[in-house]
Amino acid sequence: MARSVARLVVSLLLLVAAWAPTVAQFDPAKVPAQAPGVAALYPEPRVAYTTPSFAPGRADFTSHAELTAFLATTIEGVTHGAVRTMGRSQDGRTIAAVIFARGDPDIAALRRNGRPTVLIVGLQHGNEPAGGEAALVVIERLARGDLAPLLEHINVVVVPRANPDGAEVFRRVASDGVDINRDHVLARTPEARVLIGLMRELDPALVVDAHEYSVAGSWLRNFGGLARPDVLIQAATQANLTPAIALLQDGTFLPALRNAFDAGGLTHDWYFTADRDPRVVNMGGIEPELARNASGLRHAAGILIETRGIGIGRTNWKRRVFSQVTAMEAALRTAAKNHVALNVARDESRRFDLARDSARPLVVRARPSPERREMVFVDPASGAPRPVTVEWRSSLKLIPEVSRPRPWGYVLPPSAMAAARRLVELGIAVDTLGAEARLPVERYRTLATERGAGETILGRFELERVEETIAAGSFLVTLDQRLATLAALLLEPDSASGYVAHRLVALDTAGRVPILRLADAPDTHVLALHPLR
Ligand SMILES: [Zn+2]
């Protein structure tokens, strides 16, 4: 009975998908033709895919209705898989996760089965479809194909379409214009909150974040060529990553992915982006707000995959999806092979944060190091290589700009309720003070403030030791918790991803920071603490 109902639902979904008006997910007229010399660099791989966008005669990408129907039919009758709606987008579209686990494919059960969990996320940016389509290929192979045996050692959760509204209209950002990939600590969008909720519930050991990068645009302007590599990769790059996570990324996952790309005949490089300065090429950012770096600070290895795809419509479509599938498959096989090491690294990383090691200062602000680097772009007319020397800003070697000792904890005033609640949403423990107390604290003295990127405040501060009366109803965030580093980076006022920089915690009229640091443990009994939920 249940099966026939499921089949009926699937048929209805397929009908809806067939009836839905064809949405032009991109404008083919705006896609420049690829010169034969360039096309020759990207031959179509000899693979067959059966996901919706590969149907014969297709001119656009998989729609939301097709995605929903595909997930239902693919998982139907699969005992080691389940499709769950994790939330809804701003325009009301479902955000689905497919959960794969031997035994009980239920999110609540995953943390108890002892196997490390890999989380794969596609389409945080709606105009980068290859990662989302590759996620469907991987879902098919985990459900009924050659990847299913990996579930003996790992759980896999796939969110093929994190930004369904953006994907439907082929737009980078969410419906309200927010970049979901930069919303992993501010949590303003329901889309980012779905991913943050999954991170909290799953406690994954590896997060794979699939994107596409811009082929022409700034590269043509700055270097007279198109970007060349099939795929760019970067792990979490944050100045405060624990050694366990850095080693897992650099020693295990990145080499495995590179080997897989080489075996598949795919060219690859570090992830890079253009700069306003035309001579400069930046590696991917180091801010905690990015999904990849937030994963790292949550004690998961974070891997970013970027295929050569923005601005070229369906050009090289199969090769782009093949590049993404190659990366995801390598990540899954490597995770399964190293499943014990993954659990060990996560536990070790967590202990590192719990320890509040005074010998390990907090790097509040850092910048990438400048290097000269030879790069090769592609002549858009002939496909000939165009070698250039660039100023490369490496996110692999970071230069600390502001460092401070880790305090015992932070105190926020009662007026910072919104920030306190946001911390709790991220999985950071916050206590409320039940009684007023007079305590020795470190206060920030504001040296200067200026406008940073967007609406942010970029300030310079120094610490002074004073005695302060802490009001009842203030919030206490101690650093003896597993997300201690993430918490500290949100509460230090000069941190670029911090809640002061993003005005979630307002400076007072005199420009003073209302957050205080407790250098030493106070008598917590006197504070009458109770947890904020
Ligand atoms: Zn992207």
Side-chain angles (χ1 to χ4, degrees), residues 58-136:
R58 280 300 290 256
D60 57 4
F61 301 107
T62 301
S63 70
H64 187 73
E66 286 172 326
L67 168 93
T68 307
F70 177 88
L71 295 181
T73 45
T74 306
I75 299 304
E76 199 204 345
V78 175
T79 54
H80 61 271
V83 187
R84 292 281 175 270
T85 299
M86 304 311 301
R88 282 184 183 271
S89 67
Q90 292 166 43
D91 294 345
R93 293 191 174 88
T94 50
I95 302 174
V98 185
I99 299 123
F100 290 104
R102 285 268 174 91
D104 187 3
D106 180 72
I107 288 188
L110 258 52
R111 277 174 82 159
R112 293 195 298 269
N113 70 24
R115 293 184 289 258
T117 297
V118 179
L119 174 63
I120 297 177
V121 179
L123 274 161
Q124 285 201 77
H125 293 147
N127 61 339
E128 303 172 9
E133 200 72 10
L136 300 186

Side-chain angles (χ1 to χ4, degrees), residues 124-125 127-128 172 181 210-213 271 304 306 310:
Q124 285 201 77
H125 293 147
N127 61 339
E128 303 172 9
R172 176 181 177 87
N181 192 35
H211 293 250
E212 296 202 271
Y213 78 92
Y271 174 50
L304 170 74
E306 295 263 358
I310 294 183

Side-chain angles (χ1 to χ4, degrees), residues 131 279 314:
R279 296 157 303 181
R314 273 182 63 105

Side-chain angles (χ1 to χ4, degrees), residues 30 35 40 63 104 113 117 130 137 150 167 178 186 254 338 368 399 499:
K30 284 189 189 152
S63 70
D104 187 3
N113 70 24
T117 297
V137 174
L150 300 181
V178 171
L186 287 170
L254 291 177
N338 297 278
I399 302 164
Y499 285 173

Side-chain angles (χ1 to χ4, degrees), residues 44-371:
E44 191 165 288
R46 272 189 234 124
V47 285
Y49 294 132
T50 54
T51 55
S53 79
F54 287 99
R58 280 300 290 256
D60 57 4
F61 301 107
T62 301
S63 70
H64 187 73
E66 286 172 326
L67 168 93
T68 307
F70 177 88
L71 295 181
T73 45
T74 306
I75 299 304
E76 199 204 345
V78 175
T79 54
H80 61 271
V83 187
R84 292 281 175 270
T85 299
M86 304 311 301
R88 282 184 183 271
S89 67
Q90 292 166 43
D91 294 345
R93 293 191 174 88
T94 50
I95 302 174
V98 185
I99 299 123
F100 290 104
R102 285 268 174 91
D104 187 3
D106 180 72
I107 288 188
L110 258 52
R111 277 174 82 159
R112 293 195 298 269
N113 70 24
R115 293 184 289 258
T117 297
V118 179
L119 174 63
I120 297 177
V121 179
L123 274 161
Q124 285 201 77
H125 293 147
N127 61 339
E128 303 172 9
E133 200 72 10
L136 300 186
V137 174
V138 167
I139 286 168
E140 226 173 16
R141 289 171 61 187
L142 281 164
R144 303 168 184 280
D146 61 327
L147 297 181
L150 300 181
L151 300 172
E152 197 179 315
H153 299 302
I154 54 173
N155 309 309
V156 184
V157 175
V158 188
V159 179
R161 189 167 291 211
N163 176 9
D165 299 343
E168 201 71 354
V169 295
F170 210 64
R171 198 168 79 130
R172 176 181 177 87
V173 290
S175 216
D176 62 355
V178 171
D179 184 334
I180 294 167
N181 192 35
R182 292 198 164 266
D183 199 30
H184 287 265
V185 297
L186 287 170
R188 294 157 293 185
T189 60
E191 291 87 355
R193 285 204 291 273
V194 162
L195 297 178
I196 291 164
L198 273 172
M199 292 289 296
R200 281 186 63 178
E201 280 200 83
L202 298 171
D203 198 12
L206 171 68
V207 178
V208 177
D209 184 20
H211 293 250
E212 296 202 271
Y213 78 92
S214 195
V215 175
S218 313
W219 309 123
L220 211 48
R221 208 161 45 241
N222 295 352
F223 303 114
L226 307 172
R228 186 172 72 166
D230 283 297
V231 53
L232 309 179
I233 51 172
Q234 185 169 333
T237 42
Q238 216 289 323
N240 299 280
L241 279 191
T242 61
I245 295 303
L247 191 65
L248 190 60
Q249 295 182 154
D250 299 340
T252 304
F253 283 104
L254 291 177
L257 261 66
R258 291 193 189 102
N259 286 342
F261 297 143
D262 289 339
L266 300 166
T267 51
H268 53 90
D269 197 353
W270 292 113
Y271 174 50
F272 56 81
T273 62
D275 194 89
R276 243 171 274 158
D277 182 336
R279 296 157 303 181
V280 171
V281 177
N282 294 308
M283 278 188 72
I286 60 175
E287 303 84 6
E289 66 205 27
L290 293 164
R292 155 177 58 88
N293 295 334
S295 305
L297 293 168
R298 287 173 175 277
H299 314 292
I303 300 287
L304 170 74
I305 312 168
E306 295 263 358
T307 41
R308 186 184 184 277
I310 294 183
I312 62 172
R314 273 182 63 105
T315 309
N316 308 136
W317 178 233
K318 191 187 273 186
R319 190 174 174 97
R320 283 151 60 191
V321 174
F322 173 69
S323 303
Q324 292 274 356
V325 171
T326 302
M328 290 176 189
E329 180 179 352
L332 291 177
R333 290 194 185 280
T334 305
K337 197 172 142 198
N338 297 278
H339 62 107
V340 176
L342 253 63
N343 277 339
V344 169
R346 193 188 43 190
D347 292 349
E348 198 179 310
S349 180
R350 190 180 301 165
R351 270 200 300 278
F352 215 79
D353 258 15
L354 280 167
R356 198 160 34 195
D357 183 355
S358 58
R360 186 176 159 239
L362 191 70
V363 180
V364 175
R365 213 147 79 192
R367 64 184 155 85
S369 54
E371 297 168 6

